[in-house]
Amino acid sequence: MQETASTPRIVEIRQNILKKNDLLAARLRKRFHQAGVYVVNLVSSPGAGKTTFLTEVLSRLAERYKVAALVGDLATDHDAERLRQSGARVKQITTGTVCHLEAEMIERSLEDWDLSDIDFLFIENVGNLVCPAGYDLGENRRVVLFSVTEGEDKPMKYPTIVNSADESIITKMDMAELAGFQRDRFYDSIYKVRPGISVYEVSARTGEGIGEWISRLEAEKRAFQQRAGTL
Amino acid sequence: MHELSIAYSLAEIAVEAAEEAGLKQVKALYVKLGVLSGVAKEALLFSFDVAIQGTPLEGARLIVEEVPVKVFCPDCQEARILPAPFPMRCPVCGGKTGQVLEGREMELSALEGGDSNAGDGIYPADCGNSSEYPEEK
């Protein structure tokens, strides 16, 4: 036998390790586009106030739109229960030990939902600032939330997720003073890892900033649909 | 820690890619990890050994190349490599830039294998029994 037969051979592959998730997400995105669903993926650490923020947003949007939410947690359906108070259609995704949502979980959860009957779909990711970063869920916008109690330098500690996000929200602004939140330090920190990212300041308790955020979301949905030709 | 999920995905696409390339044995996997990929190299190396157990990749090595952040500086009109993931500023002129060109990779770049196994080359190609695969030397 020739020596060459056993000589190691290098084969170039160049494939994204999360190729399967990316393909599924692309398929989902196409379905969302065709059905005219605007999808927002909310990521934050546990306790940043995703559910409270989302409950407020859903309640307000539900007056004029058909809204739905998928909420990921390792265990319990408590968040889905809370979100249902808004009147929106809500489904809990219990991931067990998985620390993030994947496109396949979203696809499975949507099986019995008619997408043409949804205007806005919110995906509340598992509370985690690391793992959800690499997983595309077919969303239009990825929003990373930080609360005023988390420390102004948090964006710098999690550059990957901030870099994968389209915008950022600071929650619990009503507690800013009490928490000694230093606005400038926060902005300095987030701009260090992501210059120019849009930042919105909200409080679900007082309603501060929520209306503006929603108006902008509505404008974006319209613009997106005009581009996609589905308006 | 999502590295275990990533290791399983890696093993899955590597097995498929090896089949497509006609590699009967995989000796090593070459992976590029951007510093902004959110994947910890050590955790991936650990998870990889778990994920390949009982697969045709068993015994293969994982070779990770870490890719630094490369941004495009609009002031210099040049691509620049950052010494650290942040600040996102051009290391030459100090201008701000958010335009990331490289550093988010999470890629299986290459497989190292052979068309037949090293040594006497008598292992059947598709025996499907991992115990038939030779030990790493």
Side-chain angles (χ1 to χ4, degrees), chain A residues 18-32 102-108 136-138:
Chain A
L18 297 180
K19 184 181 81 169
K20 294 243 152 96
N21 186 77
D22 287 350
L23 289 173
L24 266 181
R27 198 160 84 196
L28 274 175
R29 185 168 280 115
K30 200 172 165 195
R31 278 178 64 198
F32 292 143
E102 299 187 9
E104 190 266 334
M105 302 174 189
I106 305 297
E107 190 170 57
R108 218 174 338 125
D136 184 359
L137 304 180

Side-chain angles (χ1 to χ4, degrees), chain B:
Chain B
M1 177 160 127
H2 60 317
E3 280 79 4
L4 191 56
S5 311
I6 288 169
Y8 279 111
S9 301
L10 171 63
E12 202 182 335
I13 65 163
V15 169
E16 283 175 17
E19 269 174 31
E20 267 173 45
L23 296 177
K24 287 168 187 154
Q25 190 208 8
V26 175
K27 294 193 174 76
L29 289 79
Y30 292 81
V31 162
K32 280 186 183 172
L33 278 188
V35 298
L36 284 176
S37 67
V39 179
K41 180 181 166 180
E42 292 308 315
L44 183 64
L45 288 172
F46 173 80
S47 303
F48 178 73
D49 290 336
V50 177
I52 60 171
Q53 273 173 32
T55 78
L57 302 172
E58 200 160 331
R61 282 181 308 143
L62 179 61
I63 296 155
V64 176
E65 178 195 343
E66 287 176 287
V67 183
V69 181
K70 190 193 262 181
V71 294
F72 182 78
C73 173
D75 297 329
C76 308
Q77 289 287 305
E78 288 276 354
R80 305 279 191 206
I81 289 174
L82 301 187
F86 61 85
M88 286 272 177
R89 282 173 181 277
C90 173
V92 178
C93 76
K96 284 183 186 172
T97 167
Q99 217 181 314
V100 177
L101 302 175
E102 286 175 16
R104 290 188 169 129
E105 295 82 354
M106 202 192 287
E107 181 188 278
L108 172 61
S109 47
L111 292 175
E112 182 183 329
D115 294 325
S116 66
N117 292 303
D120 48 12
I122 52 164
Y123 292 96
D126 54 354
C127 65
N129 181 352
S130 59
S131 66
E132 294 285 334
Y133 285 83
E135 294 289 319
E136 270 282 299
K137 290 190 183 92

Side-chain angles (χ1 to χ4, degrees), chain A residues 23-196:
Chain A
L23 289 173
L24 266 181
R27 198 160 84 196
L28 274 175
R29 185 168 280 115
K30 200 172 165 195
R31 278 178 64 198
F32 292 143
H33 286 197
Q34 281 165 350
V37 188
Y38 193 85
V39 186
V40 181
N41 178 7
L42 299 174
V43 292
S44 82
S45 47
K50 288 185 298 303
T51 311
T52 309
F53 170 74
L54 190 51
T55 305
E56 184 61 26
V57 168
L58 290 174
S59 311
R60 294 197 191 196
L61 276 175
E63 293 168 9
R64 282 165 293 143
Y65 297 97
K66 286 168 281 186
V67 288
L70 296 174
V71 51
D73 276 301
L74 298 182
T76 81
D77 60 352
H78 297 171
D79 280 4
E81 276 304 314
R82 284 171 63 197
L83 290 170
R84 267 186 210 111
Q85 291 166 12
S86 66
R89 209 178 319 177
V90 180
K91 200 180 276 183
Q92 179 81 45
I93 302 175
T94 311
T95 61
T97 54
V98 182
C99 48
H100 56 271
L101 292 177
E102 299 187 9
E104 190 266 334
M105 302 174 189
I106 305 297
E107 190 170 57
R108 218 174 338 125
S109 305
L110 292 173
E111 269 169 11
D112 55 346
W113 277 5
D114 178 7
L115 287 184
S116 63
D117 202 33
I118 299 172
D119 298 314
F120 286 98
L121 172 68
F122 292 87
I123 302 170
E124 185 185 327
N125 220 309
V126 178
N128 183 334
L129 278 177
V130 181
C131 311
Y135 293 86
D136 184 359
L137 304 180
E139 72 265 30
N140 292 84
R141 283 190 92 69
R142 182 177 296 185
V143 181
V144 59
L145 296 89
F146 296 98
S147 64
V148 296
T149 56
E150 287 174 59
E152 297 86 349
D153 57 348
K154 197 114 177 222
M156 263 157 67
K157 292 178 180 166
Y158 298 91
T160 297
I161 197 100
V162 174
N163 242 286
S164 80
D166 298 294
E167 64 177 58
S168 179
I169 290 179
I170 312 174
T171 59
K172 309 186 192 179
M173 279 307 287
D174 56 296
M175 291 170 66
E177 212 180 310
L178 204 66
F181 178 70
Q182 293 173 281
R183 242 179 124 262
D184 294 350
R185 278 191 61 208
F186 178 88
Y187 280 87
D188 188 51
S189 157
I190 198 160
Y191 289 151
K192 270 207 177 94
V193 291
R194 191 73 193 281

